[in-house]
Amino acid sequence: MKLTYFGTAAAEGMPALFCNCSYCKEARTLGGKNIRTRSQALINDDLLLDFPADTYFHFLKNGVEGDRIRHLLITHSHPDHFYPEQLELRQSPFAHEMREKKMELYCGEGAFEKLKNALVANSVICQKMTVYQPQRIGNYTVIPLPANHHYGDGAFIYAIKDADGAALLYAHDTGYFYEEVFQYIEKEKLYFNAISYDCTNVDIPSSLKSSHMSIDNILALHERLSKIGAVDKNTTEIINHFSHNAKPLQHILEERVKDYGWLVAYDGMQVQIANKKT
Ligand SMILES: [Zn+2]
Ligand SMILES: [Zn+2]
Ligand SMILES: [Zn+2]
């Protein structure tokens, strides 16, 4: 499985859209990996995760031909993850000769309601998913798990397994997991070859009830997931979704988490995820 990060910032972007703080100024000066757009990722070449307003730029930058995307998973309805108005462009006269005639979009309650209020092309089919119900989507098995985020929205984190058995937990956006999620993972003996963790808060003190995570929260989460056999030393762990309030300059983050063996996501980063376990 190949995971490509298109956007690795929180809602405001990094540097933030309207911000003049010292960290945003430094990010603008340093450029490169310190320029982070809004949240989106691609699995292999055919499963898109989230649909922010930055999607157009992401496709241009990463050489994606949008009409080839058949499957789209939406994590939740926050606009940095879901900007449905631009789905209207998937029809004539805005698009012609699309190679995938239909795009299938999968989401929870909040995104489904938001989609209903947007003008959407009839070449987009939307399906509401139910937590803990595995679903076959193209070459993947996808299990939506409840995210500790945007309560009442039906926000999901996704367990995604490909045809080779490589398994990813894409945990955006979420705080520390609900107890029932740990119980489900343990009962179903889910094991992850890779996890992408919400790290919006980095070193800002965050309780286990917060709707985003800090490094301390992720360490606690890693320990719990290890205990129930969901991760081990072969699991690739990645932190992602950064806010300027947490001062997430790339080289500082890499130094901060190197002892844990974590990767720090940046826009354009690719990770190969193999199906292997100790
Ligand atoms: Zn977000
Ligand atoms: Zn700022
Ligand atoms: Zn969010």
Side-chain angles (χ1 to χ4, degrees), residues 9-11 39 50 75-76 78 80-81 149 172-173 198 200 212 241:
S39 207
D50 281 333
T75 57
H76 63 299
H78 279 155
D80 56 319
H81 298 258
H149 188 77
H172 304 287
D173 295 350
D198 182 314
T200 312
H212 287 292
H241 194 277

Side-chain angles (χ1 to χ4, degrees), residues 117-277:
N117 295 324
L119 287 170
V120 176
N122 61 11
S123 68
V124 179
I125 302 165
C126 182
Q127 188 174 329
K128 202 159 40 169
M129 296 180 90
T130 306
V131 286
Y132 306 121
Q133 298 284 313
Q135 179 132 1
R136 192 79 194 149
I137 297 176
N139 293 320
Y140 307 90
T141 303
V142 177
I143 308 171
L145 305 172
N148 176 8
H149 188 77
H150 198 6
Y151 187 74
D153 186 69
F156 296 147
I157 56 176
Y158 287 111
I160 302 166
K161 191 178 266 195
D162 74 4
D164 297 328
L168 164 71
L169 182 64
Y170 189 76
H172 304 287
D173 295 350
T174 188
Y176 190 79
F177 296 176
Y178 294 131
E179 184 58 32
E180 64 177 56
V181 172
F182 294 118
Q183 287 171 6
Y184 176 84
I185 289 171
E186 187 171 20
K187 179 166 74 68
E188 297 298 321
K189 298 186 170 53
L190 297 188
Y191 169 80
F192 303 111
N193 301 105
I195 301 190
S196 185
Y197 292 113
D198 182 314
C199 193
T200 312
N201 296 343
V202 185
D203 280 318
I204 299 170
S206 311
S207 85
L208 295 184
K209 293 194 169 150
S210 167
S211 62
H212 287 292
M213 286 196 284
S214 64
I215 287 172
D216 283 349
N217 296 157
I218 295 170
L219 287 169
L221 178 57
H222 168 90
E223 195 174 323
R224 184 73 193 274
L225 290 171
S226 298
K227 266 191 197 146
I228 60 176
V231 301
D232 64 17
K233 65 182 174 50
N234 281 329
T235 300
T236 300
E237 295 176 288
I238 309 145
I239 56 172
N240 178 37
H241 194 277
F242 302 109
S243 161
H244 69 140
N245 293 319
K247 309 164 185 173
L249 292 178
Q250 182 75 14
H251 65 285
I252 292 171
L253 284 179
E254 286 176 1
E255 183 64 25
R256 172 73 179 84
V257 302
K258 73 173 192 306
D259 289 349
Y260 309 132
W262 299 347
L263 301 177
V264 179
Y266 56 86
D267 288 20
M269 184 171 88
Q270 288 196 340
V271 183
Q272 289 292 341
I273 301 164
N275 173 20
K276 60 176 182 192
K277 193 179 174 187

